[in-house]
Amino acid sequence: MEMIEFEFSELIPGLPEELGLDCITRLPYTTHRLASAVCRRWHQLISSPDFYYHRRKSGTTRLLACFIQALPPAFSTTGWKLCTSLAYGLTVFDSLSQSWDRIPPIPQYPDGVPLFCHIASTEGKLVLMGGWDPETYDPIVDVFVYDFTRCVWRKGKDMPSKRSFFAIGASDGRIYISGGHDESKNALKSAWVYDLRTDKWTELPQMSQGRDECEGLMVGREFWVVSGYDTERQGMFDASAEVFNLDSGEWRVVEEAWEAGRCPRACVGMDKEGKLTNWSESAPAVRVGACGMVIGSRTLVTGSEYQGAPQNFYVMKTEEGQNGKMTKIKVPEEYGGYVQSGCCVEV
């Protein structure tokens, strides 16, 4: 995407504009909230999508892994658990600095994000949508957008309808969703796109079949919807995938793209030859509940050796298109919970 020209002026008194812009461009993303408060012009600059693309073109953005993770149980002063139900939060991991952090709770859901919600990221923002209400277990249509610059959540336009376990992907300020099931557990073949800048939803052409519990993968200008099953074939995961071309606006079917009968949720990757891979096959230590997040030349892979075992966390480097050795990383105790799904955030 070409950067729209933005008029920058008098950024730093006494310095040429190009040098002033270069100084602000080099600020770490963690300082953007404070830098935005310096003056109105800095706020307008740092908040602009054009500045984000300028930073990305300049190579000053940072790639982070963001994932939905089970939170540690809360205990009273006497040692009793305050809550027996499992709550989930949003964790951020920087593979370069090996630092861990947690995104502030959504004001509407202070005790944990909606169950089985979905996340995707574009233009330095994190978008969370759908899932089930943690108290009633009813499907919801809420959309929330987290701004890493201001460290705040805002409410986005609701999803067009309730759907659960759908595929999601993001590209150039837009979030693509498809498949899943409705309130009556009917598999869906409909698809929609959410424009982050205009806060509007637009319906896309439908897939050839319903795909419940499918997995989304964005590859270049293509949105892959992997496996899933139709209403009459509950739990019988299909071997095919459907691919939406963002430029032509058309779907195509890819047969034998996935192992038939295997759930694809959170564990789908793609090798340099364009073939889908399963992160659970990366190592025996992550074969159960595997989740993979590609963050540039690194991939964070999580999972367990067996059902009920502790979560393992590995970072795998990719060199010349080939996956390299997996290195186990030490994780602080409060960040050792089960990882449901995740995505890469470029900030």
Side-chain angles (χ1 to χ4, degrees):
M1 176 177 179
E2 295 183 1
M3 187 186 75
I4 302 173
E5 188 174 350
F6 191 92
E7 196 66 36
F8 304 115
S9 61
E10 301 177 5
L11 292 174
I12 301 179
L15 286 182
E17 291 305 305
E18 290 186 2
L19 184 56
L21 175 59
D22 184 62
C23 290
I24 299 176
T25 299
R26 293 174 182 271
L27 289 175
Y29 81 93
T30 52
T31 66
H32 285 180
R33 183 182 181 185
L34 291 175
S36 296
V38 170
C39 64
R40 181 178 298 179
R41 184 164 287 108
W42 279 35
H43 175 76
Q44 292 174 339
L45 167 64
I46 294 174
S47 301
S48 168
D50 302 323
F51 181 63
Y52 168 79
Y53 283 107
H54 173 75
R55 290 179 59 246
R56 192 168 78 169
K57 185 177 180 181
S58 303
T60 56
T61 52
R62 195 71 170 247
L63 297 176
L64 310 171
C66 182
F67 43 94
I68 302 169
Q69 184 178 40
L71 297 172
F75 291 89
S76 68
T77 54
T78 59
W80 289 92
K81 282 188 179 181
L82 297 177
C83 181
T84 56
S85 60
L86 196 61
Y88 287 82
L90 291 165
T91 300
V92 176
F93 171 64
D94 188 329
S95 64
L96 294 179
S97 64
Q98 296 286 296
S99 61
W100 299 79
D101 199 1
R102 198 151 272 147
I103 292 177
I106 300 171
Q108 290 87 336
Y109 296 96
D111 299 324
V113 298
L115 301 175
F116 308 115
C117 61
H118 296 259
I119 58 173
S121 178
T122 182
E123 294 188 343
K125 307 279 195 305
L126 180 71
V127 181
L128 180 149
M129 62 177 65
W132 298 355
D133 186 292
E135 294 184 358
T136 66
Y137 299 123
D138 292 330
I140 60 177
V141 293
D142 291 336
V143 174
F144 299 98
V145 181
Y146 184 73
D147 188 333
F148 281 86
T149 297
R150 300 169 55 208
C151 299
V152 295
W153 288 97
R154 72 168 174 84
K155 185 74 169 64
K157 186 176 179 60
D158 286 349
M159 298 171 62
S161 62
K162 294 180 180 179
R163 70 172 67 209
S164 303
F165 301 106
F166 52 89
I168 189 170
S171 178
D172 293 337
R174 295 177 176 86
I175 309 295
Y176 297 82
I177 66 170
S178 187
H181 68 250
D182 61 16
E183 290 184 272
S184 300
K185 301 295 178 67
N186 294 311
L188 300 171
K189 57 182 179 180
S190 57
W192 291 78
V193 58
Y194 172 65
D195 192 309
L196 199 60
R197 296 195 188 187
T198 63
D199 195 32
K200 292 182 179 179
W201 286 92
T202 302
E203 189 169 12
L204 300 174
Q206 293 188 345
M207 296 186 294
S208 65
Q209 67 182 66
R211 292 180 182 271
D212 193 6
E213 291 198 59
C214 50
E215 178 66 14
L217 184 68
M218 192 64 71
V219 182
R221 298 289 295 169
E222 292 185 333
F223 175 44
W224 284 64
V225 180
V226 181
S227 189
Y229 49 82
D230 210 343
T231 306
E232 293 76 21
R233 296 171 56 83
Q234 290 288 319
M236 301 176 66
F237 289 95
D238 200 273
S240 68
E242 298 202 40
V243 183
F244 181 74
N245 187 293
L246 274 57
D247 297 318
S248 68
E250 297 178 346
W251 290 95
R252 78 174 194 273
V253 177
V254 180
E255 301 290 354
E256 305 302 323
W258 185 253
E259 181 182 347
R262 192 160 193 173
C263 178
R265 289 184 57 199
C267 64
V268 180
M270 181 171 284
D271 61 23
K272 68 172 186 177
E273 298 177 351
K275 294 182 179 180
L276 297 179
T277 58
N278 191 329
W279 293 118
S280 65
E281 298 174 351
S282 301
V286 296
R287 60 185 175 185
V288 176
C291 178
M293 289 150 277
V294 178
I295 40 181
S297 61
R298 293 175 170 84
T299 300
L300 175 66
V301 183
T302 70
S304 301
E305 186 173 0
Y306 55 87
Q307 196 71 37
Q311 284 280 291
N312 294 309
F313 294 75
Y314 289 84
V315 169
M316 179 170 57
K317 291 185 178 180
T318 302
E319 298 179 358
E320 298 180 356
Q322 295 285 353
N323 291 332
K325 181 181 178 181
M326 295 180 64
T327 303
K328 188 173 184 178
I329 57 177
K330 293 183 178 180
V331 180
E333 185 177 355
E334 62 268 32
Y335 296 105
Y338 167 72
V339 176
Q340 176 182 296
S341 62
C343 66
C344 174
V345 181
E346 186 173 5
V347 294

